[in-house]
Amino acid sequence: MARTRERNIVLLGAPGSGKGTQAERIVARYGLPHIATGDMLRAAIAKGTEMGREARRFMDAGELVPDEVVIGVVRERLTEDDAREGFLLDGFPRTIGQAERLDALLGGAGRGLTHVIQLDVPEDELAERLAGRRLCRACGKGYHVVFDPPARAGVCDACGGELYQRADDDETTVRNRLAVYRAQTEPLVEHYRAKCILSIAFGGGKMPDEVFEQVAEILGGAAS
Ligand code: AP5
Ligand code: MG
Ligand code: ZN
């Protein structure tokens, strides 16, 4: 059956743990669609849609957007053609409620998650990573002013686009995002451990490519 080689992956981790950074590498190696709810919500804000307007006040405060909004976005995205034979979820699920809805959604289609990878990074490194993060306005590629700087400050290596700082990367909002992660998202670690699909990649003091070696070992083989 074609389904047996399907990789249906969740990247789980605190703000700044490297979900987006590892997702770039996973997508390049395994050819999966990258479904990042944070990116999709920011795109809705940029477009000025009603959903974007609703999401914005939660995101600016570092709070979670209500489950119904996010679940709706993911449900729709998972029915698109490119997600039929595997996908990479980044930043979803983020609550037990979202995880249960995702299970039901996939189960109803005879599918299920194959890997949940927790990116484990010590708390003191997270704030430093977020403070130095820069993103390309044109292509979305991520950088860090110290750990992964572009060749020319403020300019994307990949496309020449302008680099910017995310609105929720200021110190106060970061503090709240970390607290929200601990309270609402961290319980998912036990949730998925109990389902025996949890693996841990250790990111403390390791460069992105070293973390990716662990991730690739977890995911195994070449692209299916
Ligand atoms: P989202 O966009 O998902 O943000 P987040 O979870 O806070 O995570 P980040 O994107 O900040 O970090 P990351 O883990 O991707 O790290 P990155 O690779 O960039 O969500 C934003 C908001 O949207 C939420 O607060 C919420 O309001 C809303 N939202 C989204 N999904 C939702 C959901 N499911 N339910 C409800 N609300 C939702 O790396 C960070 C930096 O570190 C970069 O500069 C990078 O270059 C650097 N770096 C990465 N790896 C390393 C390394 N190994 N060593 C040194 N530096 C590194
Ligand atoms: Mg991210
Ligand atoms: Zn770019």
Side-chain angles (χ1 to χ4, degrees):
M1 266 190 23
R3 281 283 157 79
T4 54
R5 283 161 69 194
E6 197 172 296
R7 286 188 181 90
N8 299 333
I9 307 165
V10 166
L11 273 182
L12 186 63
S17 59
K19 300 183 293 296
T21 303
Q22 294 305 316
E24 277 180 23
R25 288 162 172 77
I26 295 170
V27 166
R29 167 132 357 147
Y30 298 97
L32 298 167
H34 178 201
I35 304 179
T37 43
D39 292 349
M40 292 161 93
L41 293 168
R42 280 184 291 278
I45 291 175
K47 268 199 205 150
T49 67
E50 196 186 325
M51 187 191 72
R53 275 195 297 278
E54 193 190 341
R56 180 172 205 155
R57 50 198 179 96
F58 295 99
M59 295 173 75
D60 282 351
E63 298 290 334
L64 296 185
V65 173
D67 280 359
E68 317 82 70
V69 176
V70 186
I71 289 162
V73 169
V74 171
R75 187 199 295 120
E76 231 173 80
R77 181 65 184 85
L78 283 176
T79 62
E80 286 176 34
D81 276 356
D82 65 343
R84 284 217 183 129
E85 288 178 8
F87 54 79
L88 172 64
L89 283 167
D90 160 353
F92 182 94
R94 245 172 159 101
T95 62
I96 295 284
Q98 290 179 16
E100 286 170 350
R101 294 286 294 274
L102 176 63
D103 281 346
L105 207 72
L106 293 173
R111 307 174 78 181
L113 293 175
T114 58
H115 304 80
V116 176
I117 304 177
Q118 183 200 1
L119 299 175
D120 189 12
V121 177
E123 183 104 13
D124 52 347
E125 281 186 44
L126 297 171
E128 192 186 4
R129 287 188 185 188
L130 292 172
R133 171 165 56 190
R134 299 292 182 273
L135 295 156
C136 175
R137 221 178 262 294
C139 76
K141 189 170 163 50
Y143 296 88
H144 189 282
V145 292
V146 177
F147 305 127
D148 183 18
R152 257 181 68 203
V155 181
C156 177
D157 291 344
C159 78
E162 179 204 0
L163 303 187
Y164 74 101
Q165 237 183 320
R166 244 168 66 176
D168 59 349
D169 276 350
D170 68 284
E171 206 183 316
T172 315
T173 313
V174 163
R175 213 172 305 125
N176 195 42
R177 284 161 61 201
L178 292 172
V180 165
Y181 175 79
R182 277 193 300 273
Q184 301 193 52
T185 307
E186 213 162 52
L188 290 179
V189 172
E190 285 313 317
H191 176 84
Y192 286 122
R193 203 194 303 278
K195 290 181 182 290
C196 301
I197 51 173
L198 181 83
S199 305
I200 302 177
F202 295 96
K206 293 187 166 57
M207 292 310 285
D209 287 339
E210 292 178 87
V211 181
F212 184 62
E213 280 174 23
Q214 299 173 57
V215 169
E217 187 150 323
I218 292 162
L219 294 176
S224 57

